[in-house]
PDB file of all heavy atoms in Angstrom:
ATOM      1  N   ALA A   1       5.971 -12.585 -16.726  1.00 96.00           N
ATOM      2  CA  ALA A   1       6.934 -13.340 -15.920  1.00 96.00           C
ATOM      3  C   ALA A   1       7.772 -12.418 -15.047  1.00 96.00           C
ATOM      4  O   ALA A   1       8.343 -12.850 -14.058  1.00 96.00           O
ATOM      5  CB  ALA A   1       7.845 -14.156 -16.823  1.00 96.00           C
ATOM      6  N   ILE A   2       7.838 -11.145 -15.418  1.00 97.00           N
ATOM      7  CA  ILE A   2       8.628 -10.166 -14.676  1.00 97.00           C
ATOM      8  C   ILE A   2       7.777  -8.937 -14.397  1.00 97.00           C
ATOM      9  O   ILE A   2       7.100  -8.434 -15.299  1.00 97.00           O
ATOM     10  CB  ILE A   2       9.890  -9.757 -15.464  1.00 97.00           C
ATOM     11  CG1 ILE A   2      10.772 -10.980 -15.722  1.00 97.00           C
ATOM     12  CG2 ILE A   2      10.669  -8.669 -14.726  1.00 97.00           C
ATOM     13  CD1 ILE A   2      11.945 -10.714 -16.638  1.00 97.00           C
ATOM     14  N   GLU A   3       7.821  -8.501 -13.132  1.00 97.00           N
ATOM     15  CA  GLU A   3       7.146  -7.266 -12.735  1.00 97.00           C
ATOM     16  C   GLU A   3       8.080  -6.473 -11.852  1.00 97.00           C
ATOM     17  O   GLU A   3       8.954  -7.040 -11.194  1.00 97.00           O
ATOM     18  CB  GLU A   3       5.859  -7.561 -11.972  1.00 97.00           C
ATOM     19  CG  GLU A   3       4.779  -8.188 -12.829  1.00 97.00           C
ATOM     20  CD  GLU A   3       3.415  -8.159 -12.158  1.00 97.00           C
ATOM     21  OE1 GLU A   3       3.150  -7.229 -11.383  1.00 97.00           O
ATOM     22  OE2 GLU A   3       2.649  -9.080 -12.414  1.00 97.00           O
ATOM     23  N   THR A   4       7.880  -5.165 -11.839  1.00 97.00           N
ATOM     24  CA  THR A   4       8.642  -4.321 -10.928  1.00 97.00           C
ATOM     25  C   THR A   4       7.677  -3.527 -10.067  1.00 97.00           C
ATOM     26  O   THR A   4       6.541  -3.256 -10.471  1.00 97.00           O
ATOM     27  CB  THR A   4       9.585  -3.354 -11.672  1.00 97.00           C
ATOM     28  OG1 THR A   4       8.799  -2.499 -12.492  1.00 97.00           O
ATOM     29  CG2 THR A   4      10.600  -4.104 -12.515  1.00 97.00           C
ATOM     30  N   ALA A   5       8.151  -3.180  -8.880  1.00 98.00           N
ATOM     31  CA  ALA A   5       7.343  -2.396  -7.945  1.00 98.00           C
ATOM     32  C   ALA A   5       8.284  -1.645  -7.023  1.00 98.00           C
ATOM     33  O   ALA A   5       9.449  -2.033  -6.852  1.00 98.00           O
ATOM     34  CB  ALA A   5       6.435  -3.314  -7.136  1.00 98.00           C
ATOM     35  N   PRO A   6       7.783  -0.570  -6.419  1.00 98.00           N
ATOM     36  CA  PRO A   6       8.617   0.127  -5.436  1.00 98.00           C
ATOM     37  C   PRO A   6       8.966  -0.802  -4.269  1.00 98.00           C
ATOM     38  O   PRO A   6       8.120  -1.583  -3.816  1.00 98.00           O
ATOM     39  CB  PRO A   6       7.729   1.279  -4.970  1.00 98.00           C
ATOM     40  CG  PRO A   6       6.754   1.490  -6.088  1.00 98.00           C
ATOM     41  CD  PRO A   6       6.512   0.115  -6.662  1.00 98.00           C
ATOM     42  N   LEU A   7      10.196  -0.719  -3.811  1.00 96.00           N
ATOM     43  CA  LEU A   7      10.651  -1.515  -2.678  1.00 96.00           C
ATOM     44  C   LEU A   7       9.722  -1.339  -1.482  1.00 96.00           C
ATOM     45  O   LEU A   7       9.349  -2.316  -0.832  1.00 96.00           O
ATOM     46  CB  LEU A   7      12.084  -1.117  -2.304  1.00 96.00           C
ATOM     47  CG  LEU A   7      12.677  -1.722  -1.043  1.00 96.00           C
ATOM     48  CD1 LEU A   7      12.740  -3.240  -1.151  1.00 96.00           C
ATOM     49  CD2 LEU A   7      14.052  -1.142  -0.768  1.00 96.00           C
ATOM     50  N   SER A   8       9.311  -0.113  -1.214  1.00 96.00           N
ATOM     51  CA  SER A   8       8.433   0.145  -0.065  1.00 96.00           C
ATOM     52  C   SER A   8       7.099  -0.577  -0.203  1.00 96.00           C
ATOM     53  O   SER A   8       6.546  -1.056   0.796  1.00 96.00           O
ATOM     54  CB  SER A   8       8.216   1.642   0.121  1.00 96.00           C
ATOM     55  OG  SER A   8       7.614   2.202  -1.033  1.00 96.00           O
ATOM     56  N   ASP A   9       6.564  -0.690  -1.408  1.00 97.00           N
ATOM     57  CA  ASP A   9       5.306  -1.404  -1.615  1.00 97.00           C
ATOM     58  C   ASP A   9       5.464  -2.898  -1.343  1.00 97.00           C
ATOM     59  O   ASP A   9       4.617  -3.515  -0.702  1.00 97.00           O
ATOM     60  CB  ASP A   9       4.784  -1.208  -3.043  1.00 97.00           C
ATOM     61  CG  ASP A   9       4.237   0.182  -3.304  1.00 97.00           C
ATOM     62  OD1 ASP A   9       4.221   1.017  -2.374  1.00 97.00           O
ATOM     63  OD2 ASP A   9       3.836   0.435  -4.457  1.00 97.00           O
ATOM     64  N   VAL A  10       6.551  -3.476  -1.849  1.00 97.00           N
ATOM     65  CA  VAL A  10       6.785  -4.911  -1.653  1.00 97.00           C
ATOM     66  C   VAL A  10       7.016  -5.204  -0.175  1.00 97.00           C
ATOM     67  O   VAL A  10       6.431  -6.136   0.384  1.00 97.00           O
ATOM     68  CB  VAL A  10       7.959  -5.408  -2.523  1.00 97.00           C
ATOM     69  CG1 VAL A  10       8.291  -6.860  -2.226  1.00 97.00           C
ATOM     70  CG2 VAL A  10       7.626  -5.236  -4.007  1.00 97.00           C
ATOM     71  N   GLU A  11       7.848  -4.399   0.467  1.00 96.00           N
ATOM     72  CA  GLU A  11       8.070  -4.581   1.902  1.00 96.00           C
ATOM     73  C   GLU A  11       6.771  -4.426   2.676  1.00 96.00           C
ATOM     74  O   GLU A  11       6.509  -5.180   3.618  1.00 96.00           O
ATOM     75  CB  GLU A  11       9.116  -3.595   2.415  1.00 96.00           C
ATOM     76  CG  GLU A  11      10.519  -3.913   1.957  1.00 96.00           C
ATOM     77  CD  GLU A  11      11.537  -2.902   2.440  1.00 96.00           C
ATOM     78  OE1 GLU A  11      11.215  -1.703   2.510  1.00 96.00           O
ATOM     79  OE2 GLU A  11      12.653  -3.328   2.736  1.00 96.00           O
ATOM     80  N   GLY A  12       5.948  -3.480   2.281  1.00 97.00           N
ATOM     81  CA  GLY A  12       4.659  -3.272   2.938  1.00 97.00           C
ATOM     82  C   GLY A  12       3.724  -4.459   2.773  1.00 97.00           C
ATOM     83  O   GLY A  12       3.045  -4.859   3.721  1.00 97.00           O
ATOM     84  N   MET A  13       3.694  -5.047   1.582  1.00 96.00           N
ATOM     85  CA  MET A  13       2.852  -6.225   1.360  1.00 96.00           C
ATOM     86  C   MET A  13       3.318  -7.411   2.192  1.00 96.00           C
ATOM     87  O   MET A  13       2.502  -8.120   2.788  1.00 96.00           O
ATOM     88  CB  MET A  13       2.844  -6.597  -0.128  1.00 96.00           C
ATOM     89  CG  MET A  13       1.991  -5.689  -0.971  1.00 96.00           C
ATOM     90  SD  MET A  13       1.850  -6.274  -2.672  1.00 96.00           S
ATOM     91  CE  MET A  13       3.237  -5.433  -3.415  1.00 96.00           C
ATOM     92  N   LEU A  14       4.632  -7.621   2.248  1.00 96.00           N
ATOM     93  CA  LEU A  14       5.160  -8.741   3.030  1.00 96.00           C
ATOM     94  C   LEU A  14       4.947  -8.511   4.524  1.00 96.00           C
ATOM     95  O   LEU A  14       4.596  -9.445   5.259  1.00 96.00           O
ATOM     96  CB  LEU A  14       6.633  -8.958   2.713  1.00 96.00           C
ATOM     97  CG  LEU A  14       6.937  -9.394   1.276  1.00 96.00           C
ATOM     98  CD1 LEU A  14       8.448  -9.442   1.041  1.00 96.00           C
ATOM     99  CD2 LEU A  14       6.285 -10.726   0.943  1.00 96.00           C
ATOM    100  N   ALA A  15       5.115  -7.270   4.983  1.00 95.00           N
ATOM    101  CA  ALA A  15       4.855  -6.948   6.389  1.00 95.00           C
ATOM    102  C   ALA A  15       3.368  -7.131   6.704  1.00 95.00           C
ATOM    103  O   ALA A  15       3.007  -7.634   7.775  1.00 95.00           O
ATOM    104  CB  ALA A  15       5.294  -5.517   6.700  1.00 95.00           C
ATOM    105  N   GLY A  16       2.507  -6.743   5.779  1.00 95.00           N
ATOM    106  CA  GLY A  16       1.066  -6.924   5.963  1.00 95.00           C
ATOM    107  C   GLY A  16       0.684  -8.393   6.051  1.00 95.00           C
ATOM    108  O   GLY A  16      -0.147  -8.779   6.881  1.00 95.00           O
ATOM    109  N   LEU A  17       1.302  -9.213   5.213  1.00 93.00           N
ATOM    110  CA  LEU A  17       1.043 -10.652   5.269  1.00 93.00           C
ATOM    111  C   LEU A  17       1.467 -11.209   6.619  1.00 93.00           C
ATOM    112  O   LEU A  17       0.729 -11.969   7.254  1.00 93.00           O
ATOM    113  CB  LEU A  17       1.774 -11.371   4.141  1.00 93.00           C
ATOM    114  CG  LEU A  17       1.712 -12.895   4.152  1.00 93.00           C
ATOM    115  CD1 LEU A  17       0.269 -13.387   4.053  1.00 93.00           C
ATOM    116  CD2 LEU A  17       2.567 -13.471   3.034  1.00 93.00           C
ATOM    117  N   ALA A  18       2.656 -10.819   7.082  1.00 92.00           N
ATOM    118  CA  ALA A  18       3.144 -11.286   8.381  1.00 92.00           C
ATOM    119  C   ALA A  18       2.202 -10.842   9.497  1.00 92.00           C
ATOM    120  O   ALA A  18       1.831 -11.635  10.369  1.00 92.00           O
ATOM    121  CB  ALA A  18       4.559 -10.765   8.630  1.00 92.00           C
ATOM    122  N   HIS A  19       1.787  -9.602   9.458  1.00 91.00           N
ATOM    123  CA  HIS A  19       0.892  -9.062  10.489  1.00 91.00           C
ATOM    124  C   HIS A  19      -0.448  -9.790  10.494  1.00 91.00           C
ATOM    125  O   HIS A  19      -0.948 -10.194  11.555  1.00 91.00           O
ATOM    126  CB  HIS A  19       0.684  -7.563  10.259  1.00 91.00           C
ATOM    127  CG  HIS A  19      -0.317  -6.952  11.171  1.00 91.00           C
ATOM    128  ND1 HIS A  19      -0.053  -6.669  12.492  1.00 91.00           N
ATOM    129  CD2 HIS A  19      -1.599  -6.599  10.958  1.00 91.00           C
ATOM    130  CE1 HIS A  19      -1.130  -6.155  13.050  1.00 91.00           C
ATOM    131  NE2 HIS A  19      -2.083  -6.097  12.137  1.00 91.00           N
ATOM    132  N   ASP A  20      -1.027  -9.958   9.324  1.00 91.00           N
ATOM    133  CA  ASP A  20      -2.331 -10.632   9.237  1.00 91.00           C
ATOM    134  C   ASP A  20      -2.236 -12.089   9.686  1.00 91.00           C
ATOM    135  O   ASP A  20      -3.134 -12.598  10.357  1.00 91.00           O
ATOM    136  CB  ASP A  20      -2.884 -10.560   7.812  1.00 91.00           C
ATOM    137  CG  ASP A  20      -3.296  -9.149   7.416  1.00 91.00           C
ATOM    138  OD1 ASP A  20      -3.374  -8.263   8.296  1.00 91.00           O
ATOM    139  OD2 ASP A  20      -3.525  -8.930   6.213  1.00 91.00           O
ATOM    140  N   PHE A  21      -1.137 -12.748   9.326  1.00 89.00           N
ATOM    141  CA  PHE A  21      -0.952 -14.130   9.752  1.00 89.00           C
ATOM    142  C   PHE A  21      -0.824 -14.193  11.268  1.00 89.00           C
ATOM    143  O   PHE A  21      -1.411 -15.046  11.924  1.00 89.00           O
ATOM    144  CB  PHE A  21       0.274 -14.749   9.079  1.00 89.00           C
ATOM    145  CG  PHE A  21       0.435 -16.203   9.388  1.00 89.00           C
ATOM    146  CD1 PHE A  21      -0.311 -17.149   8.710  1.00 89.00           C
ATOM    147  CD2 PHE A  21       1.305 -16.631  10.372  1.00 89.00           C
ATOM    148  CE1 PHE A  21      -0.192 -18.503   9.001  1.00 89.00           C
ATOM    149  CE2 PHE A  21       1.445 -17.977  10.676  1.00 89.00           C
ATOM    150  CZ  PHE A  21       0.687 -18.913   9.983  1.00 89.00           C
ATOM    151  N   ARG A  22      -0.072 -13.266  11.840  1.00 89.00           N
ATOM    152  CA  ARG A  22       0.102 -13.227  13.298  1.00 89.00           C
ATOM    153  C   ARG A  22      -1.242 -13.001  13.988  1.00 89.00           C
ATOM    154  O   ARG A  22      -1.542 -13.628  15.006  1.00 89.00           O
ATOM    155  CB  ARG A  22       1.099 -12.135  13.670  1.00 89.00           C
ATOM    156  CG  ARG A  22       1.132 -11.747  15.142  1.00 89.00           C
ATOM    157  CD  ARG A  22       1.597 -12.919  16.026  1.00 89.00           C
ATOM    158  NE  ARG A  22       1.310 -12.685  17.421  1.00 89.00           N
ATOM    159  CZ  ARG A  22       2.116 -12.095  18.278  1.00 89.00           C
ATOM    160  NH1 ARG A  22       3.287 -11.658  17.881  1.00 89.00           N
ATOM    161  NH2 ARG A  22       1.758 -11.948  19.524  1.00 89.00           N
ATOM    162  N   ARG A  23      -2.060 -12.103  13.476  1.00 90.00           N
ATOM    163  CA  ARG A  23      -3.387 -11.853  14.068  1.00 90.00           C
ATOM    164  C   ARG A  23      -4.237 -13.110  14.044  1.00 90.00           C
ATOM    165  O   ARG A  23      -4.912 -13.445  15.020  1.00 90.00           O
ATOM    166  CB  ARG A  23      -4.085 -10.712  13.345  1.00 90.00           C
ATOM    167  CG  ARG A  23      -3.471  -9.356  13.675  1.00 90.00           C
ATOM    168  CD  ARG A  23      -4.252  -8.226  13.107  1.00 90.00           C
ATOM    169  NE  ARG A  23      -5.603  -8.256  13.655  1.00 90.00           N
ATOM    170  CZ  ARG A  23      -6.628  -7.647  13.109  1.00 90.00           C
ATOM    171  NH1 ARG A  23      -6.482  -6.943  12.014  1.00 90.00           N
ATOM    172  NH2 ARG A  23      -7.824  -7.705  13.660  1.00 90.00           N
ATOM    173  N   ALA A  24      -4.214 -13.828  12.937  1.00 90.00           N
ATOM    174  CA  ALA A  24      -4.983 -15.074  12.840  1.00 90.00           C
ATOM    175  C   ALA A  24      -4.423 -16.113  13.818  1.00 90.00           C
ATOM    176  O   ALA A  24      -5.188 -16.836  14.468  1.00 90.00           O
ATOM    177  CB  ALA A  24      -4.947 -15.613  11.417  1.00 90.00           C
ATOM    178  N   LEU A  25      -3.116 -16.162  13.916  1.00 90.00           N
ATOM    179  CA  LEU A  25      -2.477 -17.103  14.829  1.00 90.00           C
ATOM    180  C   LEU A  25      -2.792 -16.758  16.283  1.00 90.00           C
ATOM    181  O   LEU A  25      -3.000 -17.657  17.106  1.00 90.00           O
ATOM    182  CB  LEU A  25      -0.971 -17.097  14.583  1.00 90.00           C
ATOM    183  CG  LEU A  25      -0.163 -18.273  15.086  1.00 90.00           C
ATOM    184  CD1 LEU A  25      -0.715 -19.592  14.552  1.00 90.00           C
ATOM    185  CD2 LEU A  25       1.292 -18.114  14.678  1.00 90.00           C
ATOM    186  N   ASP A  26      -2.855 -15.474  16.598  1.00 91.00           N
ATOM    187  CA  ASP A  26      -3.247 -15.043  17.952  1.00 91.00           C
ATOM    188  C   ASP A  26      -4.602 -15.609  18.332  1.00 91.00           C
ATOM    189  O   ASP A  26      -4.817 -16.026  19.470  1.00 91.00           O
ATOM    190  CB  ASP A  26      -3.316 -13.521  18.046  1.00 91.00           C
ATOM    191  CG  ASP A  26      -1.970 -12.874  18.281  1.00 91.00           C
ATOM    192  OD1 ASP A  26      -1.054 -13.543  18.790  1.00 91.00           O
ATOM    193  OD2 ASP A  26      -1.844 -11.676  17.955  1.00 91.00           O
ATOM    194  N   ARG A  27      -5.516 -15.610  17.401  1.00 91.00           N
ATOM    195  CA  ARG A  27      -6.877 -16.101  17.665  1.00 91.00           C
ATOM    196  C   ARG A  27      -6.932 -17.629  17.721  1.00 91.00           C
ATOM    197  O   ARG A  27      -7.640 -18.203  18.543  1.00 91.00           O
ATOM    198  CB  ARG A  27      -7.827 -15.599  16.587  1.00 91.00           C
ATOM    199  CG  ARG A  27      -8.059 -14.122  16.651  1.00 91.00           C
ATOM    200  CD  ARG A  27      -9.054 -13.669  15.594  1.00 91.00           C
ATOM    201  NE  ARG A  27      -9.142 -12.223  15.619  1.00 91.00           N
ATOM    202  CZ  ARG A  27      -9.063 -11.451  14.562  1.00 91.00           C
ATOM    203  NH1 ARG A  27      -8.914 -11.991  13.368  1.00 91.00           N
ATOM    204  NH2 ARG A  27      -9.147 -10.148  14.672  1.00 91.00           N
ATOM    205  N   ALA A  28      -6.201 -18.268  16.810  1.00 92.00           N
ATOM    206  CA  ALA A  28      -6.305 -19.725  16.690  1.00 92.00           C
ATOM    207  C   ALA A  28      -5.406 -20.470  17.671  1.00 92.00           C
ATOM    208  O   ALA A  28      -5.781 -21.529  18.171  1.00 92.00           O
ATOM    209  CB  ALA A  28      -5.968 -20.159  15.264  1.00 92.00           C
ATOM    210  N   CYS A  29      -4.222 -19.935  17.932  1.00 89.00           N
ATOM    211  CA  CYS A  29      -3.255 -20.663  18.758  1.00 89.00           C
ATOM    212  C   CYS A  29      -2.280 -19.676  19.401  1.00 89.00           C
ATOM    213  O   CYS A  29      -1.136 -19.555  18.954  1.00 89.00           O
ATOM    214  CB  CYS A  29      -2.522 -21.677  17.893  1.00 89.00           C
ATOM    215  SG  CYS A  29      -1.738 -22.963  18.849  1.00 89.00           S
ATOM    216  N   PRO A  30      -2.710 -18.979  20.445  1.00 90.00           N
ATOM    217  CA  PRO A  30      -1.877 -17.937  21.040  1.00 90.00           C
ATOM    218  C   PRO A  30      -0.526 -18.420  21.568  1.00 90.00           C
ATOM    219  O   PRO A  30       0.439 -17.656  21.557  1.00 90.00           O
ATOM    220  CB  PRO A  30      -2.729 -17.382  22.182  1.00 90.00           C
ATOM    221  CG  PRO A  30      -4.018 -18.093  22.163  1.00 90.00           C
ATOM    222  CD  PRO A  30      -4.005 -19.102  21.074  1.00 90.00           C
ATOM    223  N   ASP A  31      -0.441 -19.672  22.009  1.00 91.00           N
ATOM    224  CA  ASP A  31       0.848 -20.156  22.511  1.00 91.00           C
ATOM    225  C   ASP A  31       1.889 -20.238  21.395  1.00 91.00           C
ATOM    226  O   ASP A  31       3.071 -19.957  21.610  1.00 91.00           O
ATOM    227  CB  ASP A  31       0.703 -21.501  23.220  1.00 91.00           C
ATOM    228  CG  ASP A  31       0.063 -22.571  22.356  1.00 91.00           C
ATOM    229  OD1 ASP A  31      -0.864 -22.243  21.595  1.00 91.00           O
ATOM    230  OD2 ASP A  31       0.485 -23.738  22.450  1.00 91.00           O
ATOM    231  N   ILE A  32       1.472 -20.568  20.185  1.00 89.00           N
ATOM    232  CA  ILE A  32       2.404 -20.590  19.051  1.00 89.00           C
ATOM    233  C   ILE A  32       2.690 -19.161  18.585  1.00 89.00           C
ATOM    234  O   ILE A  32       3.823 -18.837  18.226  1.00 89.00           O
ATOM    235  CB  ILE A  32       1.865 -21.459  17.900  1.00 89.00           C
ATOM    236  CG1 ILE A  32       1.865 -22.918  18.343  1.00 89.00           C
ATOM    237  CG2 ILE A  32       2.702 -21.265  16.631  1.00 89.00           C
ATOM    238  CD1 ILE A  32       1.281 -23.882  17.354  1.00 89.00           C
TER     239      ILE A  32
END
């Protein structure tokens, strides 16, 4: 129920998710 991780790793994962989502959105709906 509880895990710990380096702040930089968590921030990196969330930034990666945002980046990957943006790339997919660029392809599917560039105006959005």
Side-chain angles (χ1 to χ4, degrees):
I2 300 173
E3 292 194 31
T4 61
L7 173 61
S8 60
D9 288 358
V10 175
E11 288 178 324
M13 284 187 269
L14 295 174
L17 174 60
H19 174 76
D20 291 348
F21 185 80
R22 166 64 195 270
R23 287 187 60 199
L25 199 55
D26 278 337
R27 291 182 185 131
C29 199
D31 56 322
I32 292 176

